[in-house]
Amino acid sequence: MFSLYSYYLLLLVLALNTSSNFGNMETEALLIWKASLLNHSPSLLPTWTISNSSSYFNTTTTPCTWFGISCNNARNVVKLNVSSLGLQGTLLNFKFSSFPNLTTLDLSSNALFGTIPASLSNLSDLTTLYLYENQLSGSIPPEIGNLKSLKSLELYTNTLTGSIPASLGNLSDLTSLYLFENQLSGSIPPKIGNLKSLVNLAISTNNLSGNIPASLGNLRDLTILYLWENQLSGSIPPEIGNLKSLVDLQLAINTLTGSIPASLGNLSDLTTLYLYDNQLSGSIPLEIGNLKSLVDLLLYTNTLTGSIPPSLGNLSDLTTLYLNENQLSGSIPPEIGNLKSLVDLELNNNILTGSIPASLGNLSNLTTLNLFENQLFGFIPPEIGNLQSLESLALFTNNLSGTIPASLGNLSDLTTLYLHKSQLSGSIPPEIGNLKSLEILALYTNTLTGSIPASLGNLSDLTTLYFYDNQLSGSIPPEIGNLKSLVDLEINTNNLSGTIPASLGELPNEIGSLSELDHLDISYNNLSGPVPKEVGNVPSYYI
């Protein structure tokens, strides 16, 4: 239902139309559309009105001074930009045929709903169409393929359904096509490969299915190709390797099969390669090592086999390398230690064998090192202690042996240290007590001997301490009572002896040092002495 204000606007339009001198169809169209907007949206366009001092019969009356309107020298509207105003309503009352000179239409980031009218194709001079970040639904009208002057089409972040019209392949001047974050279905039309001027193609986060068309390999100017988070299947076409200008290739979160094409090694400008969360198989092609500009290489959660190519050591700009959750075998190539820019290295959940290369100690920018759940053996190289930026070190569930290097005490930024479920022996180095940022320390299920270092009492941020299932002996150091952040303490199934420290009895309901503790397990040891009654305040305990 129109408001009184909207009704007033319509009366003005009718008055204008009674004049044979009035020819400004643009003014009329804008006022009618404004009147159709909902929820007091018209108040967001206060300049869209005809002042009382204006002559209603003045043929020069135009909206050229209105907010968001730009005109040419002939006072025709050429640009309409009313983005990010919170406008609510539809496009059904927008008379597109009234704007034969319009080159830019930007209605983005509003609350527009309903369908995109096929009549939008009347804007024959349109070069820029931005309808993104609205609530538009229905299908993309095939008539948009008639906008032969269009250079940028951005419809992303709506609730559009249906298929991508093949007619979009007629837009020979198009440089940007952004359709991501909708509910589009069906296959990618091979005619998209006709868009020889295309620079950016982003149709990720939809429900698209079928194969990736080999015709996309014709888009020689393409710099961004986002097809991720769809239901695409089949293999990655080798023709993608023809896209010599490509900078960012993201095909992740689909059901792609087959091998990674060696032709991707031709993409010398590529900085991002995301192929994770697919069903890719075969080996990682050696040619990936040719991508000297690569910054992020994410191939995790596939079924890749074979060894890690030493050629990856050539990627001097690489900051992120995720090869985890595959079936990679063989040893970790020492050449990985050449990746001086690397920040995050995740090779976990594979079947890697051999020792951890000492060369990894060269990765001075590394913050995360995940090698867990493999079949690695040998010692933990002391050079790991050189990684001064390391925050998370996870080597658990391997066949590692030998002692825990004292050099790990140099990792002052470390928050998590996971060395459990291996075959580590020897004593816990007291230098671990230097890790003042440590929150989780898990050394359980090894064959560690010796006593628990008193220096662990320095770890004031520690919340979780798991030493169970080892061969630790001696008494529990009273300094453990200094761990005021401790929530979970499990040191059961060892050879600990002596009495339970009084400091462990300072539990909730008394002012004490272990006020956060909610799980305590010191069972299966040789501890003696009385059990403090305050232990009953711990939610979960085993003694």
Side-chain angles (χ1 to χ4, degrees):
M1 181 178 294
F2 284 175
S3 65
L4 288 175
Y5 180 76
S6 300
Y7 180 70
Y8 169 71
L9 285 177
L10 286 176
L11 287 178
L12 283 179
V13 170
L14 290 173
L16 286 167
N17 278 335
T18 61
S19 170
S20 59
N21 295 325
F22 177 69
N24 201 327
M25 56 186 179
E26 296 169 337
T27 303
E28 176 185 349
L30 291 171
L31 290 175
I32 288 176
W33 184 61
K34 177 183 176 180
S36 74
L37 295 174
L38 307 176
N39 195 26
H40 308 294
S41 294
S43 64
L44 298 173
L45 296 168
T47 61
W48 284 30
T49 187
I50 300 173
S51 66
N52 293 331
S53 60
S54 297
S55 169
Y56 293 159
F57 306 104
N58 186 347
T59 58
T60 62
T61 301
T62 70
C64 295
T65 59
W66 294 359
F67 175 82
I69 304 292
S70 299
C71 294
N72 58 18
N73 292 334
R75 299 177 68 78
N76 300 124
V77 175
V78 292
K79 292 183 180 180
L80 171 56
N81 181 353
V82 287
S83 66
S84 306
L85 295 181
L87 301 178
Q88 298 181 34
T90 73
L91 298 176
L92 298 179
N93 292 298
F94 198 112
K95 192 175 182 181
F96 295 103
S97 60
S98 297
F99 300 91
N101 301 288
L102 198 66
T103 60
T104 298
L105 178 60
D106 187 352
L107 306 178
S108 62
S109 303
N110 282 295
L112 301 175
F113 57 92
T115 60
I116 300 173
S119 60
L120 193 145
S121 62
N122 290 317
L123 304 176
S124 56
D125 288 345
L126 202 66
T127 61
T128 302
L129 177 57
Y130 292 162
L131 300 179
Y132 60 85
E133 292 179 358
N134 278 289
Q135 300 164 20
L136 297 170
S137 58
S139 58
I140 300 170
E143 291 82 359
I144 286 185
N146 297 332
L147 302 176
K148 298 299 177 61
S149 300
L150 207 59
K151 293 183 178 179
S152 186
L153 175 58
E154 303 192 6
L155 308 180
Y156 64 88
T157 314
N158 281 286
T159 56
L160 298 171
T161 55
S163 59
I164 299 172
S167 61
L168 296 188
N170 300 329
L171 304 177
S172 56
D173 290 338
L174 203 66
T175 61
S176 294
L177 177 58
Y178 290 162
L179 305 179
F180 60 90
E181 290 183 9
N182 278 287
Q183 299 173 19
L184 298 170
S185 58
S187 58
I188 301 171
K191 286 188 176 180
I192 297 295
N194 296 337
L195 304 177
K196 300 296 178 64
S197 301
L198 207 60
V199 175
N200 302 309
L201 175 58
I203 51 180
S204 51
T205 316
N206 279 288
N207 299 316
L208 299 171
S209 58
N211 296 337
I212 299 173
S215 61
L216 297 188
N218 299 328
L219 307 177
R220 300 302 176 93
D221 292 333
L222 205 65
T223 63
I224 292 176
L225 178 56
Y226 289 170
L227 305 181
W228 57 282
E229 201 170 345
N230 279 289
Q231 300 170 21
L232 299 171
S233 58
S235 58
I236 300 171
E239 290 83 357
I240 298 295
N242 297 333
L243 305 177
K244 299 296 179 65
S245 300
L246 208 59
V247 172
D248 197 343
L249 175 58
Q250 301 196 22
L251 309 180
I253 316 178
N254 281 288
T255 55
L256 298 171
T257 56
S259 60
I260 300 172
S263 62
L264 297 189
N266 298 329
L267 306 178
S268 57
D269 291 337
L270 203 66
T271 63
T272 303
L273 178 57
Y274 289 173
L275 303 181
Y276 63 87
D277 272 347
N278 277 289
Q279 299 172 19
L280 298 170
S281 58
S283 59
I284 300 171
L286 304 176
E287 291 82 357
I288 298 295
N290 298 334
L291 304 178
K292 299 297 178 65
S293 301
L294 206 60
V295 174
D296 296 306
L297 176 58
L298 276 60
L299 307 181
Y300 66 89
T301 315
N302 280 286
T303 56
L304 298 171
T305 56
S307 59
I308 299 172
S311 62
L312 297 188
N314 299 329
L315 306 178
S316 57
D317 291 337
L318 204 66
T319 64
T320 305
L321 178 57
Y322 289 172
L323 305 181
N324 49 299
E325 296 183 31
N326 279 287
Q327 299 173 21
L328 298 170
S329 58
S331 59
I332 300 171
E335 290 84 355
I336 298 294
N338 297 334
L339 304 177
K340 299 295 178 65
S341 301
L342 207 60
V343 173
D344 199 340
L345 175 59
E346 304 198 10
L347 307 180
N348 52 282
N349 295 93
N350 281 288
I351 48 176
L352 297 171
T353 57
S355 59
I356 298 173
S359 62
L360 297 188
N362 299 329
L363 306 177
S364 57
N365 292 313
L366 205 64
T367 63
T368 301
L369 177 57
N370 287 347
L371 305 180
F372 62 87
E373 293 193 17
N374 278 289
Q375 299 175 17
L376 299 169
F377 54 80
F379 298 164
I380 298 173
E383 290 83 356
I384 298 295
N386 297 334
L387 305 178
Q388 299 288 323
S389 300
L390 206 62
E391 297 174 4
S392 179
L393 175 60
L395 309 180
F396 64 88
T397 315
N398 278 288
N399 299 315
L400 298 171
S401 58
T403 59
I404 298 172
S407 62
L408 296 189
N410 299 328
L411 306 177
S412 57
D413 291 338
L414 204 66
T415 61
T416 56
L417 177 57
Y418 295 130
L419 303 180
H420 54 278
K421 290 190 176 180
S422 277
Q423 300 173 22
L424 298 172
S425 59
S427 59
I428 299 170
E431 290 83 357
I432 297 295
N434 298 333
L435 304 178
K436 298 297 178 63
S437 300
L438 205 62
E439 297 174 4
I440 299 176
L441 176 57
L443 306 181
Y444 64 90
T445 314
N446 281 288
T447 56
L448 298 171
T449 56
S451 59
I452 297 174
S455 62
L456 296 187
N458 299 328
L459 306 179
S460 57
D461 291 337
L462 202 67
T463 64
T464 303
L465 178 57
Y466 289 164
F467 284 172
Y468 65 86
D469 197 14
N470 276 287
Q471 299 173 22
L472 298 171
S473 58
S475 59
I476 301 172
E479 290 82 359
I480 295 295
N482 298 333
L483 303 179
K484 297 182 179 180
S485 301
L486 202 62
V487 173
D488 200 342
L489 173 60
E490 300 189 26
I491 53 177
N492 55 293
T493 317
N494 279 287
N495 298 316
L496 298 171
S497 58
T499 60
I500 299 173
S503 60
L504 290 183
E506 298 170 359
L507 294 168
N509 296 328
E510 294 184 41
I511 299 174
S513 58
L514 298 181
S515 58
E516 299 296 323
L517 194 67
D518 68 9
H519 188 88
L520 171 65
D521 193 342
I522 54 175
S523 60
Y524 295 98
N525 283 290
N526 297 310
L527 298 168
S528 61
V531 176
K533 68 180 189 308
E534 293 83 3
V535 167
N537 295 324
V538 180
S540 176
Y541 66 91
Y542 303 90
I543 295 178

